[in-house]
Amino acid sequence: MTGFFRRNGIVISTYLLLAVFVWVAIMIVLPQAYMLDFSFRFNLPPGKIGGPEDVYTLKNYRYLLFGRPGDEAMFNVLHLTVFLRTIIASIFVTLINFAICYPIAYYIAQVAKGGQARALILILILPFWVNEILRAFAFRILFGTSGVINAFLQTFGIIDQPIDFIRADIALYAGLSYAYILLMVFPLYNAIESLDHNQVEAARDLGSPWWRIHWRVVMPHAKPGIASGCTLVFMLTAGALAAPQILGGPSSFWFTQIIYRWFNTGGNWPQGAAYAIVLLLACLIFVLTVMRLFKVSLGEIAK
Amino acid sequence: MSADVDLDHVTIRFGDFTAVQDAHLGIKGGEFFSFLGPSGCGKTTILRAVSGFLEPTEGDVRIGGQSMRGIGPNKRPTALIFQNLALFPLMSVADNIAFGLEVRGVGKAERRKRADELLDLIALQGQGDKKVSELSGGQKQRVAIARALAVEPEVLLLDEPLSALDLKLRQHMRTELRAIQQRVGITFIYITHDQGEALTMSDRIAVMSQGVIQQVGTGADVYENSQTSFVASFVGENNPFVGRITAVDSNYAVVESTFGPLRGRNLSGLRTGDQAMLFVRPESLSYLNGGTVPENTIQSTVVNSEFEGSFFSVFLQGEGSKSIVMSMTNSGDLPAFEQGAAATVGFQADRAVVLPVGEVADE
Ligand SMILES: Nc1ncnc2c1ncn2[C@@H]1O[C@H](COP(=O)(O)OP(=O)(O)OP(=O)(O)O)[C@@H](O)[C@H]1O
Ligand SMILES: [Mg+2]
């Protein structure tokens, strides 16, 4: 500690420590601690907060599992289904994302020549200058019943009746897959870029078909990047709100939408906090599972 | 099994740039063949054309008499050892060696057995479970060789594999490589810019400059009977003398240099009046003060001399500040070469070659 102060001088050291402390405490720990606290409390009117009724309870978590006491169903089927669907759909979207991004990242990192690679990266980045909401609406225009894709398919006589992509949730999955594509491409690109191309050629020279080169040489090398991209995309997808709101069909509820309603129209912050905490826990479990699966440490993911 | 490799008028261009110009030669099965040339002369390019990573712009590469056009590197009977080895750092030593077998669907137990045999061959018994990063430079080198040999190639291609090693290890690996080649009996095509490596290991050498193959021959042949000024100056040390040819008789020609007429073998049929370069090697020069006078004599002064153990290098300066190097074996009774002293040196005509004026390699 004294070394740190001596190296940076008293003013800069104090500033750095303070900045880190403020960042960690005020931006991360404090709000989440509040949320955690909220999630174990009753939804009381302002007058009763701090009063004798303001005690801790598991009620909010119980509600997600079993619904209201006295409901005829055993479980809160509606919300649990939405939760599970959100998790499974997010895993699915993550996999699609990986399948799309891996070839792109490999191409940019190992195959494309300098100028071409830069151009490709630019093409990938540019659409993200448009904000998320506009992009989601653009997908609505693309996938709507009278949208570009239906119009295209109909003019060429591939289909007679327009397909309702929105109701079928295809628009939602496409929109979600696209929304966080950069967060998959860049970790993958970074990881693959550091692979010595001679290793790819050596594998090929030893008779390896292309898929085995990827399976045995490129992917093992890119493992930290794959883990980092997958966890990022999963968490952001599971926590997405705009895309499900705009592209979701009438039947589809994303778990974040329910959380949003508890906070907003429902006016029940403790209930919303409990739901949010459950989603956070699910994400953490996913990250830890992926890390275990890929045998990578947190340090490697952050590289 | 070993295979012949034929380069049939191979030309390779990158855009407008010609990296290899009309390479035409045959490498015999089981031969240790080297391409020798300075950096950027197109050696790696030739090797990549043989291994299949690039196709010749013109001409054809044939292995075992078969045209390789359109056949990818994973389908050719060649194995390449990369300049930086390109071992797979995330696999164990044994898995590295057995990778080619894994690709060919060989079972795990059989793979391990083959890997162990090859580890024996490269004197790394029992080290199959190590990580690649735990090996020394020379050991990595040998693992790369074993990995390539595991797929039983008919031709092994080596791209300056020793350049990353230190001098001692490099010299040791020369002997080792040669021994391995003789044991497995397959064709080795070896690339280097180090003439010492090429001369000590190879059956034959192709000397290259700027994409053009200058001469193909045994080490002794390339050294003694250089056919171009580039070969004469690149392989070993040489003293060039430029001048016009004043006389030609049977196999000899006389070059009128600044030191007067000098006579040497006329290997490329030059004629009277042609501009030419006469090359004489440092060890072919002898110190004449007081001794017998051969047909070619040069008057010079001593600049300095270097003691190199088994021999002496004497740097002389002649007419027009031209520097000449002479080397003498350390027989024990050498005269003291005082700086500034006059020295008369000479050489036998059959120890010198007369060649057309051309590119001279700068050391
Ligand atoms: N893919 C390529 N595109 C354009 N030019 C290339 C390419 N590969 C090689 N060259 C050029 O061809 C020439 C020969 O290159 P090559 O790699 O064969 O040289 P080398 O003899 O192996 O040299 P070194 O000893 O330095 O490895 C060089 O001038 C190089 O710049
Ligand atoms: Mg090279």
Side-chain angles (χ1 to χ4, degrees):
Chain A
M1 203 60 178
T2 49
F4 176 76
F5 272 100
R6 207 169 309 127
R7 227 174 317 121
N8 299 304
I10 191 89
V11 179
I12 293 180
S13 304
T14 317
Y15 169 75
L16 282 176
L17 286 178
L18 224 61
V20 170
F21 175 78
V22 167
W23 172 258
V24 172
I26 298 189
M27 308 297 267
I28 303 174
V29 176
L30 220 59
Q32 294 304 327
Y34 257 98
M35 276 296 152
L36 193 65
D37 184 69
F38 258 135
S39 73
F40 290 108
R41 288 185 185 277
F42 289 99
N43 190 24
L44 299 169
K48 291 190 178 171
I49 288 176
E53 285 169 60
D54 198 358
V55 291
Y56 286 111
T57 172
L58 282 173
K59 150 181 179 297
N60 298 315
Y61 292 93
R62 211 178 301 126
Y63 182 79
L64 171 59
L65 278 177
F66 305 111
R68 230 173 288 280
D71 279 356
E72 61 260 47
M74 263 274 276
F75 294 101
N76 188 348
V77 179
L78 179 67
H79 286 181
L80 284 177
T81 318
V82 172
F83 176 73
L84 278 181
R85 196 175 50 206
T86 301
I87 298 298
I88 292 170
S90 297
I91 292 177
F92 180 66
V93 165
T94 306
L95 291 178
I96 294 182
N97 233 310
F98 176 73
I100 295 171
C101 294
Y102 180 82
I104 297 175
Y106 180 79
Y107 186 83
I108 298 177
Q110 290 281 337
V111 184
K113 310 261 182 300
Q116 205 186 359
R118 277 193 295 279
L120 276 168
I121 291 178
L122 206 62
I123 290 174
L124 279 174
I125 293 179
L126 275 180
F128 288 84
W129 289 7
V130 176
N131 77 54
E132 196 183 350
I133 309 225
L134 268 182
R135 253 183 290 128
F137 275 110
F139 266 70
R140 246 195 121 89
I141 294 170
L142 223 59
F143 283 101
T145 357
S146 52
V148 179
I149 294 178
N150 270 315
F152 180 84
L153 291 176
Q154 277 174 304
T155 2
F156 285 90
I158 300 167
I159 52 169
D160 300 326
Q161 290 298 309
I163 301 171
D164 194 344
F165 290 113
I166 307 243
R167 187 173 291 276
D169 281 339
I170 290 175
L172 174 61
Y173 293 143
L176 279 173
S177 301
Y178 184 61
Y180 305 111
I181 216 159
L182 289 186
L183 293 163
M184 184 66 94
V185 167
F186 284 117
L188 287 180
Y189 167 80
N190 260 338
I192 298 174
E193 212 250 345
S194 64
L195 175 71
D196 171 16
H197 192 68
N198 282 345
Q199 282 188 32
V200 175
E201 293 200 337
R204 201 146 93 86
D205 187 61
L206 291 167
S208 185
W210 64 269
W211 59 267
R212 195 190 287 273
I213 297 177
H214 286 282
W215 183 244
R216 291 287 275 138
V217 178
V218 186
M219 284 192 191
H221 176 87
K223 225 166 49 176
I226 296 174
S228 155
C230 285
T231 48
L232 271 174
V233 167
F234 174 82
M235 288 203 272
L236 287 168
T237 305
L241 184 61
Q245 202 85 292
I246 296 164
L247 292 169
S251 67
S252 100
F253 248 131
W254 210 247
F255 198 63
T256 48
Q257 286 175 289
I258 300 181
I259 299 175
Y260 180 72
R261 278 180 206 192
W262 281 126
F263 277 107
N264 198 23
T265 40
N268 190 345
W269 280 47
Q271 190 65 66
Y275 275 41
I277 295 285
V278 169
L279 185 61
L280 179 66
L281 282 180
C283 288
L284 283 180
I285 290 170
F286 180 84
V287 172
L288 293 175
T289 315
V290 167
M291 277 167 52
R292 175 66 57 85
L293 228 59
F294 282 81
K295 297 197 185 71
V296 292
S297 68
L298 214 51
E300 282 178 283
I301 287 192
K303 248 197 303 206
Chain B
M1 253 250 294
S2 67
D4 297 353
V5 176
D6 294 300
L7 303 183
D8 186 3
H9 295 291
V10 169
T11 295
I12 300 165
R13 291 194 196 94
F14 298 109
D16 295 337
F17 177 74
T18 304
V20 175
Q21 174 73 52
D22 196 33
H24 187 72
L25 55 85
I27 299 167
K28 291 191 280 287
E31 192 171 21
F32 197 125
F33 191 95
S34 294
F35 286 91
L36 171 66
S39 181
C41 70
K43 306 179 298 283
T44 298
T45 306
I46 285 194
L47 210 64
R48 289 175 70 78
V50 175
S51 58
F53 286 106
L54 58 85
E55 290 278 355
T57 318
E58 284 161 33
D60 198 7
V61 173
R62 280 193 297 273
I63 299 179
Q66 267 191 318
S67 169
M68 287 290 127
R69 196 159 271 285
I71 298 178
N74 49 349
K75 296 276 187 313
R76 296 194 183 189
T78 58
L80 176 60
I81 294 178
F82 289 77
Q83 188 155 358
N84 67 352
L85 306 183
L87 294 172
F88 306 125
L90 299 176
M91 296 182 203
S92 71
V93 169
D95 282 352
N96 259 282
I97 295 177
F99 182 80
L101 302 173
E102 180 190 327
V103 165
R104 285 159 179 74
V106 176
K108 206 167 177 148
E110 175 66 20
R111 280 201 317 255
R112 186 67 211 213
K113 198 169 134 260
R114 276 293 290 153
D116 284 338
E117 284 167 18
L118 283 157
L119 282 166
D120 270 357
L121 177 81
I122 57 170
L124 281 179
Q125 295 90 331
Q127 312 217 29
D129 291 320
K130 277 196 177 170
K131 283 195 204 139
V132 171
S133 58
E134 291 166 356
L135 300 180
S136 72
Q139 290 172 330
K140 283 185 191 149
Q141 189 67 59
R142 296 201 291 249
V143 171
I145 294 167
R147 183 178 73 175
L149 290 177
V151 301
E152 299 184 350
E154 294 171 31
V155 181
L156 192 67
L157 309 168
L158 305 98
D159 190 353
E160 308 207 26
L162 306 186
S163 56
L165 306 180
D166 61 54
L167 184 68
K168 249 249 130 71
L169 199 52
R170 205 150 65 215
Q171 278 166 347
H172 173 74
M173 285 304 296
R174 281 184 196 173
T175 330
E176 194 138 331
L177 265 180
R178 184 70 178 146
I180 289 174
Q181 194 258 343
Q182 275 160 355
R183 224 172 312 157
V184 293
I186 61 174
T187 316
F188 271 41
I189 301 181
Y190 190 91
I191 277 189
T192 181
H193 63 257
D194 179 329
Q195 41 161 318
E197 275 174 23
L199 291 173
T200 46
M201 290 192 286
S202 324
D203 294 316
R204 283 191 305 154
I205 300 170
V207 184
M208 286 184 77
S209 167
Q210 295 177 17
V212 178
I213 292 182
Q214 302 266 329
Q215 184 173 355
V216 180
T218 62
D221 201 21
V222 169
Y223 189 83
E224 303 285 351
N225 307 315
S226 306
Q227 281 168 2
T228 68
S229 58
F230 178 82
V231 176
S233 54
F234 186 74
V235 182
E237 276 207 80
N238 232 330
N239 294 302
F241 298 89
V242 186
R244 196 167 293 282
I245 294 181
T246 52
V248 172
D249 63 90
S250 60
N251 292 323
Y252 289 85
V254 177
V255 174
E256 190 58 42
S257 76
T258 46
F259 298 92
L262 297 175
R263 191 158 171 272
R265 288 179 299 143
N266 181 9
L267 295 176
S268 36
L270 291 170
R271 278 183 289 212
T272 311
D274 289 347
Q275 271 290 9
M277 288 173 126
L278 179 141
F279 287 92
V280 58
R281 302 236 172 238
E283 69 273 18
S284 300
L285 286 170
S286 47
Y287 183 61
L288 298 177
N289 285 12
T292 51
V293 180
E295 45 200 325
N296 299 299
T297 48
I298 297 166
Q299 303 298 336
S300 64
T301 48
V302 175
V303 176
N304 68 331
S305 61
E306 283 174 4
F307 177 63
E308 314 238 5
S310 60
F311 67 94
F312 239 99
S313 286
V314 185
F315 298 89
L316 307 164
Q317 197 166 62
E319 204 77 17
S321 77
K322 176 162 176 38
S323 61
I324 302 164
V325 189
M326 171 173 69
S327 72
M328 311 180 80
T329 44
N330 187 359
S331 53
D333 55 352
L334 286 176
F337 290 98
E338 302 278 353
Q339 192 172 355
T344 310
V345 297
F347 59 91
Q348 305 289 337
D350 62 354
R351 303 293 298 153
V353 289
V354 179
L355 298 169
V357 173
E359 188 194 351
V360 174
D362 38 26
E363 288 297 308

